[in-house]
Amino acid sequence: MAQSEYEIDLGNLMAFDPHRQFPSTSSSREELVKEAIEQGTKLVQAVADALFNLPSTEDRDGPIVKLPAPSTKLPREKPLPKPRPPTNWELFAQKKGIQKHKKDKLAFDEQTGTWKRRHGYDRVNDDKDIPIIEAKMTDEPGTDPFAERRKEKKGRVDKQERNRLQNLKQAAKVGALPSHVQLAATALPITGTQAMPRKVSKDELQNVAGMASTATASGGKFDKKLPGEKPPKHEKKYRKFLPAAEGSGMGALEKQQTEKVLNKLISKNSHNVLNVEKAVNMYNVKKDKKRKNNEGKPSTRSKLKPNKKSLKKSSKRVSSNKGK
Amino acid sequence: MRPLDEKETTLVFDKLYKLVGNNLQKIVMENPSYEGPDPNPGRYCFRLQKNRVYYVSESLVKRATNIKREKLVAMGTQIGKFTKGDKFHLTIQGLNLLAANAKHKVWLKPTSEMSFLYGNSVLKGGVGRITENIQVNDGVVVYSMADVPLGFGVAAKSTQDCRKMDPNGIVVHHHADIGEYLRMEDEL
């Protein structure tokens, strides 16, 4: 790379090496990667050098450099605009050979005999300036000619508006709406082509605004609120409950849940079912009764037999060790 | 109105178990209800309205779903309510249900009935009879000598200790009594 004259496009922060030859590829992938990184570093170094050669202004955070306009021609982002179909008037004018002539801003007003502007305030041929309208033979008595004039003008204006919209519709059918009209396309009642885009309702907007405001890393908790912004309508999560009356009142889900809880509870307290003390007491009482019965019988049977009462303390009470 | 979720069900069943013991199974699952038009007995379930828990039969629940949530005041028997801190307390309206399934009972002498109905705890001197094997902090249903349930509470002493106590010691801490229907009519 002796001729290291890279083409540097600072507007796009790009460096391009037109003399690069691609030798036969090395066998391993690691070598390829290493070579690519090497070349890349050289190019980036060239960009950095060019950047630092630009005149810089000092700022709080460091030197600031204004990048020049990009020199690389990038391909079009959007397709070429389609040509508009000619309007009815254009077709007619073409046929008749009518040329367009540029009109002057000022025109001579016959009524007042002065030069007035063609359109707008104080214009030529304004209806206000006509003091007298002579009656024609065709005029009915009782009709107001001034009102007639106004009505006619309104009719002409409306017709023109309809034609304009019709031309736009024709253009939109082909897809060649002028760019300034595209954004206001919702106002065009375009029938027959596609469904009119619906107006977003207040609820929808609120929903979307709520979603957008919480679509940050901390769920929108720490963002500063704009002046006039109201707190969100439903801040917490929506909880889901079992249905109140599923089918026959206590549906399967609810039964499952209650059973689960009940079993847990019962198993937790299962050690309480057997009352050890009570069982022990009952056992001791029974034992005492049995002993009493047994002792009663042998003493009446024979007076000759020696008293076989053992002298040891025989009253062995079962001691209960209730592990608490 | 909605059914209880799992946490709430555990709380309710815990409180009920303390008073009723293993009869809880009977209350929750096997209590037949002859309430509706259906000839087969239905079952009972628990529902939450506002923060009160009701013990209702299923057929009644189905019909109660036709009422607007704001307009529904109560249904079935109220057994308790959830406090602001999500704790569950049993209320006096569930006394019939509890008394029918109680595990531990205390009968009061006629002289101390009024004291209990005014909200005081039960002293040893007022106890007529007491079931065996009451441990401390067991749920206890309080009856009069004529077997009329008067209310319920929590045992302060076990049965053994109760025998040896002096007559002015507290045996049962008062939780609810039927006098509340008159004293605390608004708060029920």
Side-chain angles (χ1 to χ4, degrees):
Chain A
M1 315 303 137
Q3 317 132 295
S4 52
E5 260 316 314
Y6 301 136
E7 287 175 13
I8 299 186
D9 176 9
L10 274 177
N12 285 323
L13 284 179
M14 190 183 80
F16 171 61
D17 177 11
H19 306 295
R20 171 121 176 86
Q21 286 124 353
F22 292 88
S24 56
T25 51
S26 357
S27 48
S28 81
R29 192 175 166 76
E30 285 92 19
E31 285 189 32
L32 267 179
V33 170
K34 227 177 56 178
E35 200 181 326
I37 292 183
E38 228 176 290
Q39 286 301 308
T41 15
K42 292 206 187 97
L43 287 164
V44 172
Q45 186 61 51
V47 172
D49 289 340
L51 264 182
F52 278 91
N53 283 339
L54 283 178
S56 64
T57 52
E58 273 302 316
D59 195 33
R60 205 163 34 121
D61 304 318
I64 287 197
V65 143
K66 189 166 160 59
L67 297 175
S71 60
T72 326
K73 275 197 164 188
L74 294 168
R76 279 188 80 89
E77 181 196 341
K78 299 216 205 297
L80 273 170
K82 298 195 193 81
R84 200 171 40 95
T87 64
N88 284 346
W89 167 256
E90 282 175 0
L91 288 170
F92 177 75
Q94 226 172 32
K95 208 169 51 167
K96 286 282 175 135
I98 302 173
Q99 303 284 41
K100 261 203 247 190
H101 291 298
K102 182 109 179 140
K103 297 203 177 82
D104 282 333
K105 242 197 256 193
L106 294 172
F108 190 70
D109 182 17
E110 291 302 330
Q111 196 67 19
T112 54
T114 56
W115 286 90
K116 290 198 175 171
R117 39 181 96 114
R118 191 178 287 274
H119 306 287
Y121 177 76
D122 195 27
R123 57 173 170 266
V124 170
N125 288 338
D126 199 357
D127 270 358
K128 285 193 300 197
D129 293 337
I130 303 176
I132 300 168
I133 301 180
E134 287 165 23
K136 291 204 288 257
M137 298 303 270
T138 47
D139 272 353
E140 275 181 41
T143 56
D144 179 7
F146 296 101
E148 288 296 315
R149 279 183 74 101
R150 262 182 268 136
K151 246 199 343 207
E152 277 168 24
K153 172 151 189 174
K154 198 161 179 304
R156 273 179 279 139
V157 165
D158 286 339
K159 177 172 174 288
Q160 181 56 30
E161 185 64 22
R162 259 182 283 128
N163 287 347
R164 184 183 76 90
L165 285 178
Q166 195 63 6
N167 290 336
L168 284 175
K169 275 198 218 174
Q170 289 299 320
K173 236 199 317 195
V174 179
L177 267 187
S179 47
H180 61 276
V181 178
Q182 190 74 35
L183 298 172
T186 47
L188 274 180
I190 299 171
T191 51
T193 46
Q194 355 162 341
M196 196 169 84
R198 272 183 327 117
K199 261 204 167 144
V200 191
S201 68
K202 183 175 168 197
D203 291 322
E204 277 183 28
L205 275 176
Q206 270 182 347
N207 265 345
V208 173
M211 281 196 266
S213 65
T214 52
T216 61
S218 348
K221 263 184 16 184
F222 305 111
D223 291 337
K224 289 205 189 71
K225 281 219 148 48
L226 295 168
E229 192 179 333
K230 294 195 196 128
K233 267 207 168 162
H234 195 277
E235 286 176 319
K236 314 218 175 90
K237 250 168 89 169
Y238 284 96
R239 280 176 74 186
K240 190 158 193 254
F241 296 115
L242 294 170
E246 177 195 341
S248 56
M250 183 145 129
L253 288 170
E254 196 192 333
K255 222 171 14 144
Q256 254 182 8
Q257 187 189 280
T258 47
E259 267 180 12
K260 188 164 123 185
V261 174
L262 201 58
N263 288 335
K264 228 197 263 185
L265 196 60
I266 290 184
S267 63
K268 209 167 32 148
N269 293 322
S270 58
H271 61 88
N272 287 341
V273 172
L274 175 60
N275 194 342
V276 187
E277 260 193 17
K278 194 169 178 182
V280 162
N281 281 341
M282 284 173 63
Y283 177 79
N284 284 340
V285 163
K286 220 181 357 170
K287 198 154 182 267
D288 278 346
K289 249 205 269 184
K290 217 168 94 173
R291 254 182 355 100
K292 235 193 270 179
N293 281 343
N294 284 345
E295 280 171 29
K297 284 198 214 126
S299 60
T300 52
R301 232 191 308 151
S302 141
K303 287 181 194 159
L304 298 170
K305 271 204 176 144
N307 218 342
K308 277 246 166 87
K309 235 192 197 162
S310 78
L311 297 162
K312 248 202 267 177
K313 226 176 160 184
S314 65
S315 47
K316 247 204 212 158
R317 292 254 152 176
V318 179
S319 60
S320 76
N321 209 358
K322 206 167 176 188
K324 271 240 166 97
Chain B
M1 145 168 70
R2 62 166 174 87
L4 306 169
D5 76 353
E6 213 173 306
K7 286 205 200 101
E8 294 163 349
T9 331
T10 25
L11 286 174
V12 171
F13 283 6
D14 272 338
K15 269 278 153 66
L16 282 175
Y17 186 84
K18 288 208 183 109
L19 261 164
V20 163
N22 285 328
N23 289 335
L24 189 60
Q25 179 99 7
K26 252 202 286 176
I27 293 183
V28 171
M29 317 270 322
E30 289 139 17
N31 200 354
S33 132
Y34 298 98
E35 186 259 321
D38 200 13
N40 308 331
R43 284 221 294 246
Y44 281 91
C45 53
F46 294 91
R47 288 287 181 269
L48 194 83
Q49 171 71 359
K50 292 227 167 134
N51 54 356
R52 285 180 292 220
V53 180
Y54 294 98
Y55 179 70
V56 241
S57 69
E58 292 178 356
S59 60
L60 197 58
V61 164
K62 257 211 302 193
R63 284 173 282 158
T65 53
N66 291 326
I67 304 176
K68 255 173 120 170
R69 203 181 291 179
E70 305 88 58
K71 309 271 178 159
L72 181 64
V73 172
M75 54 190 166
T77 357
Q78 177 182 342
I79 52 166
K81 40 159 83 157
F82 276 98
T83 62
K84 283 270 159 82
D86 289 332
K87 299 221 168 70
F88 180 69
H89 289 163
L90 289 165
T91 47
I92 188 60
Q93 292 97 329
L95 182 62
N96 278 336
L97 184 66
L98 298 172
N101 299 296
K103 273 248 134 115
H104 305 297
K105 310 183 187 180
V106 168
W107 285 262
L108 289 190
K109 295 192 189 144
T111 44
S112 62
E113 272 173 31
M114 281 310 283
S115 164
F116 182 68
L117 291 180
Y118 273 105
N120 301 319
S121 323
V122 175
L123 308 177
K124 156 110 187 284
V127 169
R129 260 164 48 201
I130 184 166
T131 40
E132 288 284 338
N133 301 318
I134 297 186
Q135 302 304 322
V136 187
N137 289 334
D138 267 352
V140 163
V141 179
V142 174
Y143 293 81
S144 78
M145 279 330 261
D147 276 334
V148 173
L150 295 176
F152 54 86
V154 138
K157 296 277 166 71
S158 65
T159 325
Q160 325 279 53
D161 296 344
C162 187
R163 295 209 180 95
K164 312 176 206 153
M165 239 170 34
D166 64 330
N168 280 329
I170 294 183
V171 177
V172 174
H173 292 296
H174 167 283
H175 267 356
D177 65 273
I178 49 181
E180 281 177 18
Y181 284 112
L182 296 172
R183 293 188 336 258
M184 305 204 280
E185 200 182 319
D186 301 327
E187 291 168 31
L188 280 183

